[in-house]
Every structure is written in C-alpha cells, then in structure tokens.
C-alpha cells in the first residue's frame, strides 16, 4: 500500500515538473527574468549643472539605449565618489569604473600631457586642439603611458584659456606689467614672463578675491565668467590663442577587459559621437558664458596678431624650462614640445 502511494506521488510530481517546464518554454521572453545589467560608476570633476556633466549623462543614456539595457552608467558629480584631484586614481583603483577629468587634476601623474595642453599655441578651436592632442597620443608612446591602468575612450579640450581683467584691458604684452593675477597651478612662471604677479587662489575663492581687490584678473576657462559669476567684476576678456584645458574620458582597464565583446563594440562605436557631443557642450558653454559676460558690461579685446606672436615668443622659454625640469626626472618633455611645433606647423 505504501509503495503504491509513493509511486503515485512521484508520478504527480513528474507531471507538475513537466508542466512547469513546458510553461517556461512557451512564455514570452519579456516575462522571463532578465539578466542583471552591468552597473558602472562614472565619476566627474564637475557639478551636476555643468555642461560636461550633461554631456556625460547623455552618453550614459545612449549606452543604455544601444546595449538594450545591459549597461547602466550612473554619473556622479564632483566630490560625490572622490575628491576632484583624486579622479585619476579613483578610476585606476576601481572606486569608479570610469570617468573624466582635465589632466590638470592629475598633473603629477601625467605631466607630459599637461605640458602638451599648456604649451599648445595658435590653435583657434577646441575641436582642433582635441584633434592635435589625439594625434600626439598616437605618435608619442610616453603620452599614452601616463594613462597606464586606464582604457582611454576619448579626449577633448577647451577653447584657448581666456584672460580676464577688472580695470585694465590687455592689448599688448606690456599691459600685464604689475597686474596681480590668478593663473592655473603650474603656470605661475608664465605670469611672471608676461610681467604680471601670480597669486595662488583656489577657483572657488576667486570671486571673493576679485570682490576684495586681492587680484586684478585671472587666466582660465571663459565658462568661469558665468558659472562663477566672475563677470560681475571682470570687465575685459582677451585671448592670447594659447594654453588649453585638455580632458580625458577613460575606463578602468580591468573593467574594460571584463566587458563582453559586443558591449566593448558599443563603446568603441560611440567614441567619435561622444567626443563630438562633449565638444558641442563645451563650445556652447563658452559662447553662452561670453554672451553673459557681455550682458554684464564686459568687453572683448581682440589683440593684433603681432602682439599675440610677441606673447607666444615670450612664453616659449617658460615651457622649455618646464620641459628641462621634466627631462631631469626622466620624462621626454622636449619630444612633446617638438611634436607641438610639428603639428601646429602643418595647419
């Protein structure tokens, strides 16, 4: 009797299992449990209202779309995952699987790339500066070596850095004499070569310094005129057609190597699109910032080409000295300067 009941129970279980299996095979794929998506943390050095952040978010949305939801990228604004100056290390160590930053945030790690952006002269657009940097990365292995531990996705650049002054317009080299100005870190010797007095101030403190008269001007990205409301005190904006804020977007190398080939292909296919998108946001932001500055009473100063050439000639020894110091540390910096000369002479 017990044996018969056991056989009946086994038979019932087999029928149930067989029915369940058939049901699973006949169900629409949309109701089957989906594979868990690949989650990637993307760190940035900009705030959530910055144009670069918006470009990064649009890129993340496009990756989600093209992978059919298989890859979800969460973009983190400045200081959320890591301090801005630790962005490179955050990507390299995997705190963030990917991210982007200006090379100036890791100048000690990538001094050759920093030198390339600083010493670049006579280039009119962000797109052209980006193109030249990409070519230099292909031609000089030591530039790419500074990205060791990262898989480089794309590179971008700002327009030439602007020179903003409060009371005195810059129309010639001598106009810098005696001005107390904030320059990007590492470029204080450039200020001295021009005749200005450099002062070290964090970007976030620049507004108050201008308000108090501690500084009389600055050299930096023109987006600062609006984003930091420096146009309330800056009344003249000049460009010497030199020195660019070059930036990279990269992925942790182990994360990259772990991605399936079809996912890697999506990222590769998006590289040119993402670079163009970011440049569009950068150039749009620069234009918007200058328009805001003009609405606040700022004037755009167009220096004669001869005066710009004079500034370039005075500036070259500064970068040669930086290169000599880097050579003493075993860095082929003079090769970088020669590459700049070669690339810009082909324009």
């Amino acid at each position: 009797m017990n044996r018969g009941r056991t056989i009946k129970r086994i038979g019932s279980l087999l029928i149930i299992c067989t029915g369940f299996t058939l049901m699973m095979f006949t169900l629409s794929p949309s109701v089957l449990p989906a594979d868990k998506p690949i989650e990637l943390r993307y760190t940035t050095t900009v705030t959530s209202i910055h144009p670069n952040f918006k470009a990064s978010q649009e890129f993340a949305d496009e990756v989600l779309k093209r992978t059919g939801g298989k890859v979800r990228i969460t973009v983190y604004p400045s200081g959320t995952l890591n301090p801005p100056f630790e962005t490179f290390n955050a990507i390299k160590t995997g705190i963030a699987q990917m991210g982007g930053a200006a090379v100036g945030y890791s100048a000690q790690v990538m001094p050759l790339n920093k030198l390339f952006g600083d010493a670049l002269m006579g280039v009119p657009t962000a797109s052209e500066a980006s193109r030249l940097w990409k070519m230099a990365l292909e031609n000089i292995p030591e530039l790419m070596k500074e990205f060791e531990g990262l898989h480089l996705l794309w590179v971008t650049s700002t327009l030439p850095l602007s020179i903003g002054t409060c009371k005195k317009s810059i129309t010639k080299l001598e106009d810098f004499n005696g001005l107390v100005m904030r320059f990007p870190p590492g470029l204080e010797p450039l200020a001295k070569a021009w005749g200005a007095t450099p002062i070290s101030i964090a970007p976030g403190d620049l507004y108050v310094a201008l308000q108090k008269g501690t500084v009389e001007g600055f050299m930096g990205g023109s987006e600062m005129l609006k984003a930091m409301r420096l146009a309330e005190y800056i009344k003249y904006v000049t460009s010497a057609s030199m020195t660019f804020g070059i930036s990279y977007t990269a992925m942790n190398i182990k994360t990259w190597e772990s991605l399936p080939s079809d996912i890697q292909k999506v990222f590769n296919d998006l590289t040119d699109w993402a670079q163009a998108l970011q440049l569009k946001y950068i150039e749009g932001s620069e234009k918007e910032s200058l328009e805001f500055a003009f609405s606040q009473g700022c004037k755009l100063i167009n220096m004669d080409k001869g005066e710009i050439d004079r500034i370039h000639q005075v500036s070259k020894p500064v970068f040669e000295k930086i290169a000599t110091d880097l050579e003493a540390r075993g860095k082929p910096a003079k090769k970088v300067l020669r590459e700049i000369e070669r690339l810009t002479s082909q324009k």
Side-chain angles (χ1 to χ4, degrees):
M1 177 70 80
N2 289 339
R3 183 181 177 188
R5 288 178 180 175
T6 301
I7 292 172
K8 286 183 180 179
R9 286 175 182 173
I10 292 173
S12 298
L13 285 172
L14 285 171
I15 291 169
I16 292 170
C17 289
T18 302
F20 180 76
T21 301
L22 289 171
M23 180 180 71
M24 289 296 291
F25 275 109
T26 56
L27 276 175
S28 168
S30 61
V31 301
L32 292 174
D35 291 336
K36 187 177 180 181
I38 298 170
E39 301 279 354
L40 300 177
R41 296 184 297 276
Y42 185 125
T43 184
T44 68
T45 58
V46 297
T47 65
S48 59
I49 62 173
H50 194 281
N52 278 355
F53 185 90
K54 295 174 183 177
S56 300
Q57 186 58 62
E58 194 168 330
F59 167 72
D61 293 342
E62 189 67 18
V63 170
L64 181 68
K65 175 183 172 182
R66 294 205 189 187
T67 61
K70 293 179 182 178
V71 178
R72 297 180 184 274
I73 300 173
T74 303
V75 185
Y76 292 87
S78 178
T80 308
L81 282 180
N82 53 270
F85 285 94
E86 288 297 317
T87 299
F88 179 92
N89 287 332
I91 302 170
K92 187 172 182 177
T93 59
I95 292 173
Q97 285 81 31
M98 61 186 304
V103 298
Y105 281 98
S106 49
Q108 295 302 313
V109 178
M110 45 181 62
L112 295 177
N113 284 282
K114 176 71 162 55
L115 177 62
F116 184 91
D118 288 348
L120 195 58
M121 300 180 188
V123 180
T125 66
S127 297
E128 179 66 3
S130 303
R131 186 184 72 84
L132 294 179
W133 183 27
K134 185 177 179 181
M135 291 176 65
L137 285 164
E138 293 170 353
N139 295 337
I140 301 179
E142 291 87 352
L143 285 176
M144 276 301 300
K145 187 172 175 58
E146 291 185 342
F147 288 96
E148 190 172 11
L150 275 61
H151 173 76
L152 190 61
L153 293 170
W154 68 84
V155 297
T156 54
S157 172
T158 62
L159 289 163
L161 297 190
S162 294
I163 300 160
T165 49
C166 299
K167 299 178 180 178
K168 186 178 182 182
S169 63
I170 305 296
T171 61
K172 58 184 182 298
L173 182 62
E174 288 75 15
D175 291 334
F176 286 103
N177 288 339
L179 287 181
V180 178
M181 300 181 67
R182 190 268 178 186
F183 271 58
L187 289 183
E188 294 83 0
L190 191 62
K192 293 178 181 178
W194 291 356
T197 300
I199 187 169
S200 179
I201 292 178
D205 298 329
L206 187 51
Y207 179 91
V208 174
L210 290 169
Q211 184 182 52
K212 292 181 177 179
T214 307
V215 297
E216 300 168 278
F218 78 101
M219 184 181 188
S222 61
E223 76 277 359
M224 298 165 71
L225 292 167
K226 181 179 181 181
M228 300 170 62
R229 303 196 69 82
L230 302 187
E232 292 181 14
Y233 298 100
I234 294 296
K235 297 308 171 189
Y236 301 98
V237 180
T238 310
S239 173
S241 297
M242 62 176 288
T243 305
F244 295 75
I246 55 177
S247 302
Y248 64 90
T249 300
M251 187 179 292
N252 175 280
I253 188 65
K254 292 181 180 178
T255 300
W256 172 257
E257 291 172 349
S258 71
L259 295 177
S261 59
D262 61 322
I263 300 298
Q264 288 184 346
K265 184 177 185 304
V266 169
F267 279 99
N268 287 334
D269 290 346
L270 279 174
T271 294
D272 290 342
W273 176 87
Q275 182 191 48
L277 175 70
Q278 199 161 26
L279 285 168
K280 182 184 77 171
Y281 272 99
I282 289 169
E283 291 171 345
S285 172
E286 299 254 7
K287 181 181 178 182
E288 184 180 311
S289 295
L290 287 173
E291 288 174 350
F292 171 79
F294 300 153
S295 74
Q296 299 297 301
C298 288
K299 295 181 179 179
L300 179 65
I301 306 299
N302 293 306
M303 279 195 292
D304 292 338
K305 184 180 183 304
E307 286 300 323
I308 292 176
D309 289 343
R310 285 182 68 207
I311 290 175
H312 290 180
Q313 289 305 312
V314 168
S315 303
K316 284 181 180 180
V318 173
F319 300 118
E320 288 168 0
K321 173 64 166 60
I322 293 172
T324 298
D325 293 343
L326 288 173
E327 290 277 343
R329 293 166 46 191
K331 305 287 185 180
K334 292 184 179 179
K335 184 195 291 189
V336 173
L337 294 184
R338 289 195 299 270
E339 181 70 356
I340 290 174
E341 290 282 353
R342 188 186 72 81
L343 291 171
T344 53
S345 67
Q346 295 176 353
K347 293 182 296 164

